[in-house]
Amino acid sequence: FVQKCSSKDITPTDLPRGHLCHLHAEHLCLWASEEEISTFLGDETAVTAFVGHLSDATMVAGQIAQQLARSTSDILVVPCSGCMMPYDGFDYCRHTGFLPKSACPFPEANAAVHRATLLMALAVSFLSSREPRDLLLRATAMDIPAGISTLEFTTNRIARGGLPPLVILLVGALDNCNRAFPKCAHLAISLLALVVARRPASSLATLDPVPLVDAVVMYLKDVFNRVHNCDCAVEERYGIMQLLNLAPLLYYFGDWAESNKLLIKSRLPEFLASAVCNLIHTALLHGDNSEFNVDGPADLDQFPELQAARVDVAYLLFGSVRVVWERPLTAAIASLIEVLGRWAWRGVAVGTARIDCTPPPEIEGRLTSAVRRAYSESVSEAFTGYREELEVLSAREPSIAFVGGIVDALIAGKEGRGALLPSAGEDSAPGLLREPLLHANMKCALPGCSNTAMGDDRPLRLCSGGGR
């Protein structure tokens, strides 16, 4: 199956029923045993070949999307339904504000996107396990020798007939495929999050922070359209899942000095804070709606198109899996608040970032139309107005009780070590991200080392895998 998916000649109709190959790639555990998967991923030759095919497919899909974007800004609908998110096709989600769609004009593009989505979905399935996957991680997040820049390392690989490191190509796919072929972008986000969570130092050191942050911001703009007062229950559910898949990557943006400096400039703190406010409103208004509970497990009988709306990073967050599956909207709210708290703890001025919003009713009538359009509040002011609502959500789901302290610290304008992080330990609320990510089979950042603990079995913690 892997060889078939890797073939450059594959087309969407090569396997029975066309989309069946996507079901195989996305539900690997249903037909392959852990022993079979481990045997394949323990073969260095096979893993190297797989990552080579994956890198080639990712690069080609990104290049095609970049070329097509010059002639159209529509979502490009391809013949294989498995290559699309369900709301992207012609037959789905025609409602107010849906994005324009047009048929992909080139058969070669259809085949390239099909190959890329199959291989990316396979890689996500491999890495979304609790198992270490050492060889695959090392082939994905390469160790660049000390004293050599990423540019020099990449140039030398290309000169020898190789491709850039996969994490670099994933950023390119995220940037170029976000509008034309959204599913490629969603899979790229999941892969980046899974790799960065296991090897944060090695993978982030390979990347240029500017294109990565810019690509994530563009991706988030489309995601936010799905969760900000969305008219479509299917799109809203996908938006929530996409936020959860992105959360581990966002979490490490604050720890990475290069991206930390770009967070305020890119307006990411206010984007996330605005999303939190909207999601709180949705959770309280529609969270327990009997017709469609957006804050509950997906009802596949009512909405079969939600079968592909998965949290690919769920098993990284092993201590948080229950709330992710049972209360996904609540989990998304708590995760974004935890990300903002982490950024503040790392010195980012989160509390003073400005959110564009509607003025309060008591002053709105006294403002001119121009002032109303330009009205904004700080994150601290906005969160003050939602503090009681967060208490209601915490009472409904006690595992997110930790968000209260983080929000209080943001309201008080605390930054650096004055900000609050979720506590570690069994007898406290450890957060949905912090404690699980510390124990997510994180690898040492030293070249060639795959240790997940220090010599005395202490976990690799603040060093982000550096072994200090």
Side-chain angles (χ1 to χ4, degrees), residues 172-233:
L174 173 63
D175 184 30
N176 294 318
C177 296
N178 184 41
R179 175 54 60 88
F181 305 117
K183 185 160 185 176
C184 284
H186 302 325
L187 290 169
I189 278 289
S190 293
L191 275 175
L192 283 169
L194 289 165
V195 172
V196 168
R198 260 74 178 267
R199 301 203 74 192
S202 297
S203 53
L204 292 176
T206 307
L207 297 172
D208 184 334
V210 176
L212 174 58
V213 172
D214 287 348
V216 168
V217 169
M218 292 302 297
Y219 176 81
L220 279 172
K221 287 180 179 179
D222 279 342
V223 173
F224 288 165
N225 287 335
R226 295 185 193 107
V227 298
H228 280 204
N229 307 312
C230 184
D231 293 329
C232 176

Side-chain angles (χ1 to χ4, degrees), residues 131-380:
E131 298 302 317
R133 312 301 193 210
D134 290 347
L135 289 177
L136 183 56
L137 279 170
R138 285 213 301 269
T140 305
M142 293 180 175
D143 296 315
I144 297 180
I148 298 179
S149 68
T150 300
L151 177 60
E152 182 181 357
F153 178 79
T154 302
T155 302
N156 290 339
R157 280 179 58 84
I158 295 173
R160 295 194 301 269
L163 293 172
L166 178 59
V167 287
I168 295 177
L169 297 173
L170 289 172
V171 175
L174 173 63
D175 184 30
N176 294 318
C177 296
N178 184 41
R179 175 54 60 88
F181 305 117
K183 185 160 185 176
C184 284
H186 302 325
L187 290 169
I189 278 289
S190 293
L191 275 175
L192 283 169
L194 289 165
V195 172
V196 168
R198 260 74 178 267
R199 301 203 74 192
S202 297
S203 53
L204 292 176
T206 307
L207 297 172
D208 184 334
V210 176
L212 174 58
V213 172
D214 287 348
V216 168
V217 169
M218 292 302 297
Y219 176 81
L220 279 172
K221 287 180 179 179
D222 279 342
V223 173
F224 288 165
N225 287 335
R226 295 185 193 107
V227 298
H228 280 204
N229 307 312
C230 184
D231 293 329
C232 176
V234 170
E235 286 205 46
E236 187 169 49
R237 171 72 66 157
Y238 273 94
I240 292 168
M241 298 301 149
Q242 289 154 11
L243 286 175
L244 287 168
N245 284 327
L246 182 58
L249 180 61
L250 292 173
Y251 185 85
Y252 279 109
F253 273 9
D255 291 13
W256 187 24
E258 283 75 9
S259 63
N260 187 306
K261 296 178 291 188
L262 299 172
L263 295 178
I264 293 297
K265 182 179 179 180
S266 65
R267 302 184 64 190
L268 269 174
E270 58 224 68
F271 289 160
L272 296 193
S274 177
V276 166
C277 294
N278 276 268
L279 291 172
I280 291 173
H281 176 76
T282 301
L284 294 178
L285 190 63
H286 301 296
D288 288 323
N289 187 310
S290 58
E291 180 181 358
F292 177 67
N293 182 8
V294 71
D295 197 18
D299 185 346
L300 297 182
D301 292 331
Q302 185 179 10
F303 294 106
E305 55 267 57
L306 291 177
Q307 182 172 342
R310 296 186 308 278
V311 183
D312 296 320
V313 302
Y315 291 108
L316 283 179
L317 314 178
F318 56 92
S320 312
V321 168
R322 183 196 59 79
V323 65
V324 166
W325 292 128
E326 296 181 3
R327 292 280 188 185
L329 179 53
T330 298
I333 293 168
S335 297
L336 294 183
I337 290 175
E338 190 172 352
V339 167
L340 291 171
R342 181 72 176 189
W343 291 355
W345 189 74
R346 286 295 188 182
V348 179
V350 172
T352 55
R354 308 293 299 183
I355 302 175
D356 296 331
C357 58
T358 303
E362 58 269 20
I363 67 170
E364 185 174 10
R366 303 196 302 269
L367 303 178
T368 65
S369 59
V371 173
R372 285 198 297 271
R373 287 194 300 271
Y375 186 81
S376 66
E377 291 180 345
S378 68
V379 170
S380 296

Side-chain angles (χ1 to χ4, degrees), residues 432-453:
L432 299 187
L433 297 174
R434 185 191 179 203
E435 192 71 9
L437 288 178
L438 287 173
H439 298 282
N441 284 313
M442 186 187 292
K443 304 298 177 189
C444 177
L446 298 177
C449 180
S450 291
N451 288 341
T452 58

Side-chain angles (χ1 to χ4, degrees), residues 75-154:
I75 291 175
L76 297 177
V77 180
V78 298
C80 174
S81 62
C83 291
M84 309 293 296
M85 305 303 283
Y87 55 80
D88 291 336
F90 280 129
D91 298 330
Y92 296 98
C93 298
R94 290 187 172 273
H95 54 79
T96 303
F98 74 90
L99 295 173
K101 306 173 178 71
S102 61
C104 184
F106 303 110
E108 298 84 357
N110 297 334
V113 170
H114 186 59
R115 177 173 176 246
T117 55
L118 281 178
L119 291 172
M120 291 168 78
L122 267 175
V124 168
S125 293
F126 287 146
L127 291 173
S128 59
S129 165
R130 290 194 182 100
E131 298 302 317
R133 312 301 193 210
D134 290 347
L135 289 177
L136 183 56
L137 279 170
R138 285 213 301 269
T140 305
M142 293 180 175
D143 296 315
I144 297 180
I148 298 179
S149 68
T150 300
L151 177 60
E152 182 181 357
F153 178 79
T154 302

